């Protein structure tokens, strides 16, 4: 595709529900990143994949957050037992081999009631 | 946690004026990048400056980098209403892979 796509664009969940957020990176991009952006703040790093390998998950806020990229393309960020503090925009980005620039998707705005 | 601060937090100017935003960071970097974010949308990459560069231009954008002061500035010349957005600096810290650490952002409003 032309760019990074994410779905859904908006998600409302009741506290305690599980959610799954999808990211389709640009074709051929081996690196994939997830970021969390709270209202009025800059994005904060969650996790990084190189192909299917999750090389860094140091930014995941708790063990309720889980990310996967089983075939080295599409990635899913799963949040179990959502809490109100999980409300944020979740951004996905990808970059090509040896590339410095990350290309961001439009984000998924998650609201936990 | 955020890498550093951006200054000012908000900036309001008239079309045709120049806008200057500053960014400070804390750790050694490979490069520093500036991104724009329109309300409710994703981030758009504007410009990248490497740690061994001091100034870079791209169209109406001018970026400077002072690694001794751990600071950068973004200048937008002859601003337009379409430049209204939030601007973030992001540092690519020295970790072995490209992990971006973002600043807190500057909200720019350009009035016609």
């Amino acid at each position: 595709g032309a760019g990074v796509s994410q779905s859904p664009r908006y998600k409302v969940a009741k506290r305690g529900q599980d959610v799954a957020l999808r990211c389709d990176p640009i074709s051929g991009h081996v690196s994939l990143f997830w970021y969390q952006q709270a209202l009025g703040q800059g994005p904060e790093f969650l996790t990084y994949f190189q192909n299917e390998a999750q090389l860094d998950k140091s930014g995941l806020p708790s063990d309720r957050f889980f990310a996967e990229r089983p075939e080295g393309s599409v990635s899913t960020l799963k949040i179990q037992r959502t809490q109100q503090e999980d409300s944020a925009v979740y951004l996905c980005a990808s970059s090509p081999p040896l590339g410095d620039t990350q290309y961001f998707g439009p984000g998924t705005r998650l609201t936990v009631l | 946690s955020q890498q550093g601060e951006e200054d000012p937090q908000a900036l309001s100017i008239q079309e045709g004026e120049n806008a200057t935003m500053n960014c400070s960071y804390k750790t050694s970097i490979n490069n520093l990048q500036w991104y724009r974010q329109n309300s409710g949308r994703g981030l758009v990459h504007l410009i990248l400056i490497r740690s061994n560069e001091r100034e870079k231009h791209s169209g109406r954008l001018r970026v400077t980098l002072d690694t001794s002061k751990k600071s950068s500035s973004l200048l937008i010349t002859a601003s337009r209403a379409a430049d209204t957005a939030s601007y973030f600096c992001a540092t690519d810290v020295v970790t072995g892979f490209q992990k971006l650490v973002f600043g807190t952002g500057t909200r720019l409003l350009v009035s016609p």
Side-chain angles (χ1 to χ4, degrees):
Chain A
V4 178
S5 61
Q6 293 186 246
S7 62
R9 291 293 312 277
Y10 302 91
K11 177 70 178 177
V12 178
K14 292 182 179 179
R15 189 171 54 184
Q17 279 185 330
D18 298 347
V19 298
L21 312 179
R22 177 187 170 105
C23 172
D24 284 85
I26 295 172
S27 179
H29 282 196
V30 299
S31 297
L32 186 145
F33 305 81
W34 284 97
Y35 294 84
Q36 180 190 58
Q37 185 175 23
L39 187 65
Q41 299 293 315
E44 294 201 10
F45 170 83
L46 293 178
T47 187
Y48 160 67
F49 289 87
Q50 184 171 333
N51 295 306
E52 68 279 3
Q54 188 176 20
L55 299 186
D56 189 308
K57 52 182 182 179
S58 62
L60 296 177
S62 76
D63 58 8
R64 296 186 295 104
F65 287 71
F66 172 76
E68 60 183 6
R69 194 186 184 197
E71 298 179 356
S73 178
V74 170
S75 177
T76 303
L77 176 66
K78 298 179 179 178
I79 309 173
Q80 297 176 326
R81 304 181 304 281
T82 53
Q83 304 294 316
Q84 285 187 324
E85 61 262 30
D86 300 335
S87 295
V89 175
Y90 291 86
L91 295 164
C92 174
S94 68
S95 65
L98 304 179
D100 290 330
T101 300
Q102 293 185 20
Y103 297 86
F104 282 80
T108 294
R109 181 178 297 278
L110 173 65
T111 302
V112 181
L113 303 177
Chain B
S1 61
Q2 309 284 178
Q3 161 73 291
E5 298 289 326
E6 290 188 55
D7 166 53
Q9 290 187 340
L11 179 60
S12 183
I13 60 175
Q14 299 290 317
E15 267 192 326
E17 294 181 337
N18 296 340
T20 299
M21 289 159 263
N22 303 294
C23 165
S24 62
Y25 59 91
K26 299 174 182 174
T27 62
S28 297
I29 62 172
N30 291 319
N31 60 59
L32 185 144
Q33 305 180 41
W34 285 88
Y35 284 82
R36 183 186 72 222
Q37 186 175 41
N38 292 91
S39 179
R41 299 187 182 179
L43 292 149
V44 175
H45 182 262
L46 295 176
I47 195 166
L48 178 152
I49 186 166
R50 301 192 185 283
S51 59
N52 61 353
E53 297 176 311
R54 292 296 167 258
E55 187 171 315
K56 201 162 184 179
H57 297 254
S58 177
R60 294 185 295 114
L61 305 180
R62 171 178 171 257
V63 170
T64 63
L65 178 64
D66 186 335
T67 53
S68 66
K69 296 181 179 178
K70 291 186 169 58
S71 66
S72 174
S73 68
L74 171 67
L75 169 66
I76 304 174
T77 60
S79 62
R80 307 166 181 168
D83 294 329
T84 295
S86 291
Y87 291 81
F88 295 91
C89 67
T91 49
D92 178 3
V93 299
V94 181
T95 63
F97 71 91
Q98 189 200 37
K99 173 180 175 178
L100 292 181
V101 182
F102 285 83
T104 51
T106 293
R107 295 186 305 279
L108 174 65
L109 173 63
V110 182
S111 301

